């Protein structure tokens, strides 16, 4: 389980032992005219002025607020006048809107299989009690009633009237809410699902919660269907009224909540995000409540309620909100699930999270820097007064040596060290150099275990202090870390993983966010004149453009991990930049000059205070300007040859490294191979583009939510996801990136239709000749009776594009006849890997496919087989076999087929054991388009296939050589019989299919076709 630090919202990115950060030099330079500027066009001058002013005011909160309101339209206008819009969308964190699953669902789920269900009800007063009893009548299932109350006869009578399961009352002992309920009924966490209810909330909040959780039997079934379809969903909370959300704060519960959090294994800070279920009511898996049961007997309800979502995530589960779409607030974004797979949006990184990767909520605003420091100081005072010690879980055999150089700011140092308690997920040592601090730093270090402390007699400042401390490093890698940072768990391991896996990667940085939750940087840009910009500054750290890996000019020394051998070979920081500023910028330039790389790793997340007490110091600004001149003198030729001029769009300068081109890929959703339906092929096309040296942006048009951790298991982490926008945001995206891409690849006809409409509104985005239409299939042919003209209309979508991918020769010919100048057949990339079992060691039949809709070809074919083919097959071979069905099951007609002999397995992650156990794979498809990937996959696994003539034509495979073919119920039964009963025929068909896989699905040929087509449409 990977947790992230619950708090850390920032600090002084470049405070170096009493000195301010280097960005001020960039501010000064941006406002200073130069010889180059005097030759610039008026538009370029205006762009530079806007960026200079923007940089100069970012550190002033009041001015920043005005800039966000008034400056953004001007900045965007300047980008459009000067080239592609390169600035990340400048929106406040969380402004995407809070996703809410609309209940009831857009489809009728099957009968709920909720397992053991409990209603955990806390009755504090009789206000609204009748309303709750009435709402519970919507539960049309068995459920035990667990009542916690100090009230008397009325509650007893109502409880005794419960008929849907066992009922029990236990006293609350004068306590309230969830804490009282879990203390009274700790066994509630052992139930499969728990509905937590309580009295005591205001009427509007109670009514909204009841409508969201128990509004109707359909609402209840929808909630339980979400849990059934989403194993990672731990808690479903009701909608939250906007006024209640705005008032969320830690308040007096903070100290108690922080202590509980540390025992649960994560850190809270004064600026940690906070959220909790409205009214203290929600649906949950019992496992999501388990972490809280140990604290219920002694904790206050105020603390425990504020930790409900945290505990859910600490258990490795996600939470979401759901409810009926009545009078939605501006903060809410409802989404509808018309199919089971669309429920996944509830648990993507588009949703809200507190510990796990995702977009944290922002309620009530972050504390000011002064307030935050005061809170940190109070925590430090409490710790020093307690007599306790702070122990870092370090190692005697470190992989990483963490170097911290201190000069005062002891309260920030304490917060940094607290974060390391939870962030040291790799064998580390911590080396602390104290530059003669005059505050309580020595007292804190005297209470610290697990660190090597060096007390300098005088202030060596940052550069010399780091160089001296790094001499003591024993790890393979050195992490330079500011003492005003807080490191999120997973960050150190992520950085180490990059360095261990990529031999030419010398240094790694990551996302650095500020106290108010906005980015300081996601990698940094060095401009030709030596000034520097943190890419994405002021944007939301969780925006999609900051979630993919890329090489960068440099990474801030607030968190910079470098190989120790490289550090020593280069001599560490150049002391020409002492006492501070430009030292890590120079170091990264020298790394790249040595033929090595500097990388941005999005899984590294650090909170940074920034500037501290030195903000705006004239001496600091002067020092930065002087060191910029030293930097330019040292690296002038490289800056001139390799770096863009100040004022160029940051989008064009955000990544280093040579690419053959940039391609925008538009698809329905993240191409998880297990989904079938063409997504394995979509994944392979994306991989082929990346393998050919193209930088790819993937735009999920239909299901825009992305869980990055899961998505990057199937897609290269160097691919950018343009997530969260969907069809509604496509036009804006095209405007922002006009002229940026060298090619566009659009898959599936409905996406091509949407793209063509958007392109008509932004004709300057790209030339149609640079567009590849990946037909994936002629979808009209997937209907049993395509409407007149539907096929022709689909083919017409390719009019004017530069190239077309078809999946078989039959469909390719249709596009050629329509006048498309460049059409190629790009089928599937599959490697033959037959499973070992022989004919005698196998039994049963296998069907694989998504069965979401009654009208779909998969559902039609399975119903046809079970109802019409299966009785005929039993007459031929007997009934001592079963049909195993792997894939999502949403279609009611398919669910009705379930029996002892028709085994509906649902989604199966690894099909190989099923391939190895089955004797025959069936594909009784009666209408379809494209090429059946499931047949290729089964054949590649050495499982012979019985198919219809339609699929044989699409594949171009002959009956008896690579397939058994039969049309109609009787013929299909005979085809299955030939394979099932004749080992000689079975072996021959298996060998023939494996040979066709080698010829038709060669991955190298597939990759070459994709690369050639991209090269053909690329602009000169």
């Amino acid at each position: 389980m990977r947790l992230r630090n619950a708090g850390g919202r920032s600090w002084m990115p470049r405070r170096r032992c009493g000195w301010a950060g280097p960005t001020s030099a960039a501010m000064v330079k941006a406002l200073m005219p130069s010889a180059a500027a005097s030759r610039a066009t008026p538009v370029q001058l205006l762009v530079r002025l806007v960026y200079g002013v923007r940089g100069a005011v970012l550190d002033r909160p009041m001015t920043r607020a005005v800039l966000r309101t008034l400056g953004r339209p001007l900045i965007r206008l300047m980008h459009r006048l000067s080239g592609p819009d390169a600035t990340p969308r400048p929106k406040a964190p969380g402004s995407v809107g809070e996703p809410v699953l609309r209940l009831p669902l857009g489809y009728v789920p099957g009968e709920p299989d909720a397992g053991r269900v409990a209603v955990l009800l806390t009755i504090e007063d009789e206000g609204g009690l009748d309303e709750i009893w009435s709402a519970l009548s919507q539960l049309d299932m068995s459920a035990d009633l667990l009542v916690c109350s100090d009230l008397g006869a009325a509650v007893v009578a109502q409880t005794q009237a419960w008929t849907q399961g066992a009922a029990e009352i236990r006293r609350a002992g004068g306590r309230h809410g969830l804490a009282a309920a879990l203390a009274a009924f700790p066994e509630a966490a052992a139930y499969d699902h728990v509905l937590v209810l309580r009295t005591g909330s205001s009427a509007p909040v109670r009514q909204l919660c009841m409508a969201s959780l128990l509004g109707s039997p359909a609402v209840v079934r929808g909630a339980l269907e979400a849990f059934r379809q989403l194993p990672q969903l731990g808690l479903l909370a009701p909608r939250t009224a906007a006024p209640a959300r705005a008032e969320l704060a830690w308040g007096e519960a903070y100290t108690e909540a922080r202590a509980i959090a540390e025992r649960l294994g994560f850190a809270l800070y004064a600026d940690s995000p906070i959220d909790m279920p409205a009214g203290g009511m929600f649906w949950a898996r019992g496992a999501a409540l388990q972490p809280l049961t140990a604290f219920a007997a002694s904790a206050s309800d105020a603390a425990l309620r504020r930790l409900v979502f945290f505990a859910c995530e600490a258990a490795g589960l996600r939470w979401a909100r759901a409810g009926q779409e009545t009078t939605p607030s501006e903060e809410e974004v409802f989404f509808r699930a018309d199919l089971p797979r669309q429920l996944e949006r509830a648990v993507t990184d588009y949703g809200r999270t507190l510990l796990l990767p995702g977009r944290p909520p922002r309620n009530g605003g972050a504390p000011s820097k002064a307030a935050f420091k005061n809170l940190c100081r109070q925590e430090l005072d409490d710790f020093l007064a307690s007599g306790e010690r702070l122990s870092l879980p370090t190692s005697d055999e470190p992989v990483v040596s963490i170097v911290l150089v201190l000069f005062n700011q002891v309260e920030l140092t304490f917060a940094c060290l607290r974060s390391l308690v939870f962030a040291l997920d790799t064998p580390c040592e911590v080396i602390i150099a104290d530059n003669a601090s005059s505050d309580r730093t020595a007292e804190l270090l005297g209470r610290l275990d697990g660190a090597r402390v060096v007390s300098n007699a005088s202030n060596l400042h940052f550069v010399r202090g780091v160089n001296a401390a790094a001499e003591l490093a024993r790890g393979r890698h050195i992490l330079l870390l500011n003492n005003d940072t807080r490191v999120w768990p997973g960050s150190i391991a992520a950085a180490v993983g990059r360095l261990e896996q990529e031999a030419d990667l010398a240094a790694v940085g990551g996302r650095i966010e500020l106290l108010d939750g906005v980015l300081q940087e996601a990698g940094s840009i060095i401009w030709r004149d030596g000034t520097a910009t943190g890419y994405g500054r002021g944007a939301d750290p969780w925006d999609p453009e900051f979630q993919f890996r890329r090489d960068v000019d440099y990474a801030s020394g607030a968190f910079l991990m470098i190989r120790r051998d490289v550090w020593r070979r280069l001599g560490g920081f150049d002391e020409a930049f002492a006492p501070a500023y430009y030292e890590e910028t120079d170091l990264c330039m020298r790394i790249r000059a040595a033929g090595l790389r500097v990388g941005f790793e999005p899984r590294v997340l650090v909170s940074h205070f920034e500037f501290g007490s030195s903000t705006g110091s004239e001496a600091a600004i002067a020092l930065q300007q002087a060191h910029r001149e030293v930097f330019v003198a040292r690296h002038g030729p490289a800056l001139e040859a390799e770096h863009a001029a100040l004022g160029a769009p940051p989008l064009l300068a955000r990544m280093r490294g040579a690419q053959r081109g940039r391609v925008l890929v538009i698809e329905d959703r993240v191409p998880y191979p297990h989904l079938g339906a063409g997504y394995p092929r979509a994944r392979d096309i994306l991989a082929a583009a990346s393998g050919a040296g193209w930088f790819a942006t993937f735009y999920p048009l239909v299901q825009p939510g992305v869980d990055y951790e899961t998505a990057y298991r199937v897609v290269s982490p160097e691919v950018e996801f343009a997530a969260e926008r969907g069809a509604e945001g496509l036009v804006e995206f095209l405007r922002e990136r006009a002229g940026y891409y060298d090619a566009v690849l659009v898959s599936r006809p409905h996406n091509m239709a949407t793209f063509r409409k958007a392109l008509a509104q932004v004709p300057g985005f790209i030339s149609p000749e640079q567009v590849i239409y990946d037909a994936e299939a002629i979808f009209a042919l997937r209907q049993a009776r395509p409407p007149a003209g539907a096929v022709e209309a689909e083919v017409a979508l390719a009019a004017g594009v530069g190239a077309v991918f078809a999946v078989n020769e039959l469909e390719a010919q249709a596009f050629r006849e329509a006048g498309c100048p460049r059409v190629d057949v790009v089928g599937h990339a599959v490697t033959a890997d037959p499973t070992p079992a022989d004919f005698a060691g196998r039994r049963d039949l296998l069907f694989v496919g998504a069965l979401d809709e009654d009208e779909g070809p998969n559902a039609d074919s399975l119903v046809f087989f079970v109802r019409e083919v299966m009785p005929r097959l039993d007459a031929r071979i007997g009934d001592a076999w079963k049909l195993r069905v792997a894939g999502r099951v949403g279609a009611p007609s398919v669910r009705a087929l379930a029996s002892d002999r028709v085994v509906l397995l649902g989604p199966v992650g690894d099909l190989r054991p099923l391939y190895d156990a089955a004797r025959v794979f069936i594909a009784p498809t009666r209408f379809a388009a494209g090429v059946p990937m499931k047949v290729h996959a089964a054949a590649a696994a050495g499982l012979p296939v019985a198919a219809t003539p339609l699929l044989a034509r699409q594949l171009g495979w002959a009956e008896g050589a690579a397939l058994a073919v039969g049309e109609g119920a009787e013929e299909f039964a005979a085809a299955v019989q030939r394979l099932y009963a004749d080992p000689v025929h079975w072996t021959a068909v298996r060998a023939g299919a494996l040979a066709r896989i080698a010829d038709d699905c060669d991955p190298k040929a597939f990759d070459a076709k994709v690369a050639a087509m991209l090269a053909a449409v690329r602009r000169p």
Side-chain angles (χ1 to χ4, degrees):
M1 177 180 68
R2 179 164 66 90
L3 298 182
R4 76 174 196 217
N5 191 322
R9 287 290 183 272
S10 51
W11 321 2
M12 30 189 287
R14 298 279 314 153
R15 187 178 189 287
R16 299 299 193 225
C17 307
W19 299 89
T23 17
S24 297
M27 300 176 194
V28 172
K29 182 63 180 178
L31 294 171
M32 291 174 59
S34 64
S38 67
R39 296 191 296 271
T41 66
V43 167
Q44 290 172 327
L45 288 172
L46 188 54
V47 170
R48 294 177 186 180
L49 177 61
V50 169
Y51 270 100
V53 172
R54 182 176 182 267
V57 302
L58 273 172
D59 299 310
R60 296 169 173 81
M62 293 298 294
T63 314
R64 186 189 299 176
V66 174
L67 177 65
R68 285 176 177 167
T69 304
L70 302 178
R72 288 174 178 169
L74 181 58
I75 291 172
R76 288 187 174 185
L77 174 61
M78 294 304 100
H79 274 304
R80 291 188 182 124
L81 290 174
S82 62
D85 185 355
T87 305
R89 287 174 293 157
K91 58 187 175 231
S95 64
V96 170
E98 180 175 80
V100 179
L101 172 63
R102 195 181 81 174
L103 296 178
L105 300 177
Y107 67 96
V108 179
E111 290 299 316
D113 181 15
R116 296 178 65 231
V117 177
V119 177
L120 185 60
L121 172 59
T122 307
I123 302 175
E124 301 167 14
D125 55 49
E126 295 189 13
L129 186 54
D130 289 342
E131 186 178 342
I132 290 178
W133 289 124
S134 176
L136 283 172
S137 67
Q138 306 300 328
L139 276 179
D140 53 354
M141 66 190 69
S142 297
D144 293 344
L145 179 62
L146 313 178
V147 178
C148 178
S149 178
D150 289 331
L151 299 184
V155 173
V156 172
Q158 292 275 22
T159 304
Q160 289 177 340
W162 184 258
T163 61
Q164 293 171 243
E168 185 175 358
I169 303 175
R170 295 179 187 172
R171 295 187 61 81
R175 303 176 71 225
H176 303 287
L178 183 64
L182 287 179
F185 293 99
E187 67 268 27
Y191 280 80
D192 295 300
H193 297 94
V194 183
L195 174 59
V196 178
L197 301 174
R198 63 177 294 184
T199 63
S201 54
S202 66
V205 171
R206 184 175 62 250
Q207 290 163 7
L208 185 62
C209 292
M210 290 296 100
S212 299
L213 302 174
L214 288 165
S216 69
V219 167
V220 174
R221 284 194 296 271
L224 293 174
E225 172 76 354
F227 284 109
R228 186 171 76 90
Q229 295 289 344
L230 304 171
Q232 66 272 53
L233 179 64
L235 192 148
L236 200 60
R239 295 172 52 197
T240 300
R245 183 164 37 246
E247 294 173 1
L248 284 171
W250 289 106
E252 295 181 358
Y254 168 67
T255 301
E256 182 184 6
R258 187 191 69 189
I260 294 173
E262 291 190 354
R263 291 178 63 187
L264 286 172
F266 59 90
L268 287 182
Y269 301 97
D271 61 335
S272 291
I274 180 173
D275 207 343
M276 55 187 174
M281 294 185 264
F282 50 89
W283 279 100
R285 295 188 194 275
L289 297 176
Q290 185 63 50
L292 295 178
T293 57
F295 308 98
S298 58
S300 70
D301 184 58
L304 220 61
R305 277 193 298 122
R306 285 164 170 79
L307 292 173
V308 166
F309 290 153
F310 286 96
C312 177
E313 294 184 41
L317 299 168
R318 296 259 184 174
W319 52 274
R321 282 195 164 88
Q324 300 185 65
E325 192 173 1
T326 55
T327 61
S329 68
E330 293 182 359
E331 289 83 2
E332 294 174 311
V333 178
F334 282 82
F335 66 94
R336 175 188 174 105
D338 293 320
L339 296 169
R341 64 176 180 267
Q342 293 173 350
L343 287 166
E344 292 175 9
R345 191 173 183 186
V347 290
T348 66
D349 288 350
Y350 176 62
R352 295 292 180 262
T353 60
L354 296 160
L355 297 175
L356 296 170
R359 196 182 297 274
R362 294 287 171 179
N363 296 307
S368 67
K369 285 188 172 183
F372 182 78
K373 287 187 73 173
N374 286 336
L375 288 167
C376 291
R377 190 173 297 115
Q378 182 60 54
E379 292 181 357
L380 171 68
D381 292 343
D382 292 345
F383 168 74
L384 293 176
S386 71
E388 297 178 356
R389 299 188 66 81
L390 183 64
S391 294
L392 300 178
T394 49
S395 170
D396 291 332
E397 297 180 355
V399 173
V400 179
S401 298
I402 301 175
V403 174
L404 280 163
V405 175
L406 313 181
F407 181 71
N408 294 328
Q409 304 292 344
V410 62
E411 64 278 2
L412 302 185
T413 300
F414 178 60
C416 177
L417 294 173
R418 277 190 62 217
S419 79
L420 291 180
V421 171
F422 302 97
L424 299 185
D425 48 11
T426 296
C428 294
E429 65 175 350
V430 176
I431 302 169
I432 298 176
D434 178 25
N435 273 338
S437 297
S438 57
D439 58 5
R440 303 180 75 182
T441 294
E443 188 178 356
L444 171 62
L445 297 181
R447 301 274 289 279
L448 178 66
D449 298 322
R452 302 165 65 192
V453 177
V454 178
S455 298
N456 295 323
S458 61
N459 187 357
L460 299 183
H461 301 289
F462 184 74
V463 168
R464 293 190 176 95
V466 167
N467 281 348
E471 287 297 313
L472 304 176
R474 297 174 294 167
R476 292 196 297 273
H477 314 296
I478 295 173
L479 172 58
L480 308 179
L481 186 68
N482 275 17
N483 72 312
D484 61 344
T485 60
R486 288 164 292 169
V487 182
W488 291 29
S491 298
I492 294 174
V496 169
R498 292 289 307 279
L499 292 175
E500 301 275 296
Q501 294 165 13
E502 303 172 43
D504 61 342
L505 184 68
V508 179
R511 288 180 293 162
I512 302 178
E513 68 173 16
L514 301 175
L515 191 62
D516 57 0
V518 302
L519 267 178
Q520 172 191 314
E521 67 168 76
S524 290
I525 299 168
I526 304 172
W527 302 107
R528 189 174 298 160
D529 65 354
T531 55
T533 299
Y535 178 66
R537 185 176 176 106
D540 189 329
W542 294 98
D543 277 352
E545 49 262 59
F546 311 121
Q547 311 307 319
F548 72 99
R549 293 178 182 172
R550 63 187 191 279
D551 287 358
V552 295
D553 290 344
Y554 85 101
S556 168
F559 181 108
L560 180 63
M561 188 177 291
I562 181 172
R563 297 179 188 276
R564 187 181 64 166
D565 60 344
V566 173
W567 171 268
R568 292 188 172 172
R569 190 193 327 157
L570 297 178
F573 284 146
D574 189 333
E575 296 192 3
F577 295 98
Y581 309 127
Y582 273 90
E583 67 283 345
E584 84 269 50
T585 317
D586 165 78
L587 176 64
C588 290
M589 287 289 287
R590 288 188 284 132
I591 286 172
R592 292 190 286 105
L596 300 171
R597 300 159 42 229
V598 178
F600 165 74
E601 173 51 59
R603 293 177 299 163
V604 171
L605 184 57
V606 176
S607 299
H608 199 209
F609 189 79
E610 192 175 37
F611 294 129
S613 61
S614 301
T615 303
S617 163
E618 292 183 7
I621 292 174
L623 184 60
Q624 289 179 59
Q625 179 67 6
H627 284 184
R628 185 194 67 81
E629 293 172 1
V630 174
F631 176 78
V632 172
R634 297 257 174 115
H635 303 288
L639 291 171
E640 187 66 30
E642 302 172 10
H643 292 255
L646 181 66
L651 183 67
L652 298 177
R654 65 178 176 166
M655 57 195 300
R656 298 197 64 82
Q659 295 100 27
R660 290 185 181 274
R662 294 185 287 262
V663 59
L664 173 65
V665 178
I666 299 177
E667 244 286 12
D668 281 355
R669 54 166 302 152
V670 177
Y672 294 112
H674 72 270
L675 296 173
Y679 294 113
R681 177 175 172 276
R683 188 273 311 268
D684 292 338
I685 289 175
L686 192 58
S690 297
W694 284 68
F695 168 69
T697 300
F698 187 91
Y699 195 114
L701 194 66
V702 176
Q703 290 186 241
V706 173
D707 182 327
Y708 295 106
E709 185 173 13
T710 305
Y712 282 129
R713 292 174 189 161
V714 300
V715 171
S716 167
E718 285 79 30
V719 170
E720 176 187 28
F721 283 102
E724 303 179 1
R725 295 173 179 257
E728 299 82 2
L730 182 59
V731 170
E732 179 188 3
F733 180 80
L734 299 189
R735 286 182 178 140
E736 290 173 1
R737 299 210 175 176
Y740 181 66
Y741 294 103
D742 301 293
V744 176
L745 191 152
V746 186
S747 183
R748 306 176 195 263
H750 50 276
N751 294 331
M752 189 63 180
T754 301
F755 174 72
R756 291 186 75 106
K757 290 178 182 177
L759 188 61
Q761 299 182 57
V762 193
F765 171 71
I766 202 167
S767 167
E769 290 78 14
Q770 294 168 255
V771 176
I772 299 172
Y773 175 40
D774 173 29
E776 202 270 319
I778 297 180
F779 274 45
L781 298 177
R782 289 179 172 171
Q783 303 176 57
R785 295 180 179 83
V791 173
E792 292 78 6
E794 229 178 276
V795 172
L797 289 170
V801 303
V804 174
F805 286 163
V807 292
N808 61 43
E809 190 57 44
L810 293 174
E811 295 183 9
Q813 189 58 33
F815 286 103
R816 294 187 188 108
E817 291 173 357
C820 297
R822 188 181 290 114
V823 182
D824 203 350
V825 175
V826 179
H828 295 129
V830 182
T831 300
D833 185 17
T835 57
D838 61 10
F839 177 87
R842 298 168 179 262
R843 199 177 73 167
D844 297 335
L845 274 56
L846 178 64
F847 178 99
V848 175
L851 299 154
D852 295 321
E853 303 167 339
D854 286 329
E855 299 79 13
N858 283 339
D860 171 84
S861 66
L862 187 62
V863 171
F864 161 70
F865 181 86
V866 173
R867 292 181 178 172
E868 300 186 37
V869 179
M870 198 166 173
R872 292 171 170 84
L873 185 58
D874 285 348
R876 290 172 175 268
I877 65 173
D879 61 0
W881 58 273
K882 294 182 179 181
L883 172 61
R884 302 189 187 278
V885 179
R888 297 187 309 272
V889 181
S893 62
V894 173
R895 290 199 298 267
L897 301 176
S899 69
D900 290 342
R901 294 188 61 210
V902 180
V903 183
L904 305 182
L905 300 172
V908 176
D910 182 7
L911 291 171
R912 191 167 177 82
L914 292 176
Y915 289 142
D916 195 40
R919 186 174 293 178
V920 179
F921 185 93
I922 61 165
T925 307
R926 300 193 292 181
F927 54 91
V931 171
M933 174 63 186
K934 59 188 175 184
V935 174
H936 278 154
L943 178 58
V945 178
T948 58
L950 169 65
L951 298 191
R953 289 194 298 272
Q954 291 174 349
L955 291 162
W957 292 7
E959 199 285 328
L963 287 169
V965 179
E967 186 165 20
E970 195 64 49
E971 287 188 14
F972 198 87
V976 176
Q977 179 192 16
R978 290 195 295 274
L979 290 174
Y980 195 88
D982 184 348
V984 175
H985 186 64
W986 184 92
T987 302
V989 169
R990 170 182 161 107
L994 288 169
R996 290 305 303 262
I997 290 294
D999 290 342
D1000 298 352
C1001 303
D1002 179 18
K1004 292 182 179 179
F1006 180 96
D1007 292 350
K1009 287 183 177 182
V1010 173
M1013 198 69 89
L1014 286 169
V1017 302
R1018 189 187 189 284
R1019 62 187 176 188

